[in-house]
Amino acid sequence: TSGSHVGRDFFVVRGSSGSPAASMLDLALSISVNTDLDNVRNVAAAQDPGVSGDGRVAEQLFLLQTATNTPLMQVNKNYIPGPPTVGTPAIPVTDSTSGSPVAVSMNINAFNNQRVTEFSLTLQKATTMNGQHENLLTALVQDRESVAGVSLDEEAANLIKYQQAYNASIRMMTAVDEMLDRVINNMGTVGR
């Protein structure tokens, strides 16, 4: 490995000059693999370029997946991507009382598995609650319609019933009118 390969970053942070990353998500989305490493000749696995077979850097990268007590990181609000670069994109989270960095006691795989599990459970809970709220809303709408709504079939049946009752009372009034007419007009004419 020649000296030109020493000191290259595996990852680079994209971003516009003068704007710090707003959150860890923004920071995570702006991290990418250095395009200089697309050519494998630019990857130096040796810590000491002069020693043949030295793969200590590659070994350290491999051991990251099982490393424990990894510092918990947060966005550095003072970071400004270059050129010129000011600060680093992320800084360790520190304990408010002791001021020492807070570390994750599990390895990165276990930590990621735990986060995915927590996210999945939260998503499942939200989906279940959403379904329950939709069912409750449907039941409330149906109850409101049953109390305040008008059944057209029932109203049509009532209309026919009241119309028949009206017709019956008209026939009754006609019969009474005819009887009174006979009593008044015909009874007085018998003895004439």
Side-chain angles (χ1 to χ4, degrees), residues 14-21 77-86:
R14 298 180 317 272
S16 60
S17 179
S19 62
K77 302 238 185 259
N78 298 321
Y79 169 71
I80 301 173
T85 300
V86 177

Side-chain angles (χ1 to χ4, degrees), residues 9-68:
D9 292 327
F10 276 95
F11 302 100
V12 292
V13 178
R14 298 180 317 272
S16 60
S17 179
S19 62
S23 68
M24 288 303 277
L25 177 61
D26 292 338
L27 177 61
L29 291 173
S30 67
I31 295 173
S32 65
V33 176
N34 190 342
T35 55
D36 290 344
L37 302 179
D38 289 346
N39 182 351
V40 292
R41 294 186 180 272
N42 292 337
V43 178
Q47 188 167 343
D48 185 359
V51 177
S52 178
D54 180 13
R56 288 181 283 174
V57 171
E59 183 180 353
Q60 289 173 359
L61 283 173
F62 176 75
L63 291 176
L64 281 176
Q65 68 180 338
T66 58
T68 56

Side-chain angles (χ1 to χ4, degrees), residues 113-127:
N113 287 341
Q114 180 184 14
R115 300 302 296 171
V116 167
T117 301
E118 288 173 4
F119 176 74
S120 298
L121 291 173
T122 302
L123 181 62
Q124 182 182 18
K125 181 179 176 184
T127 302

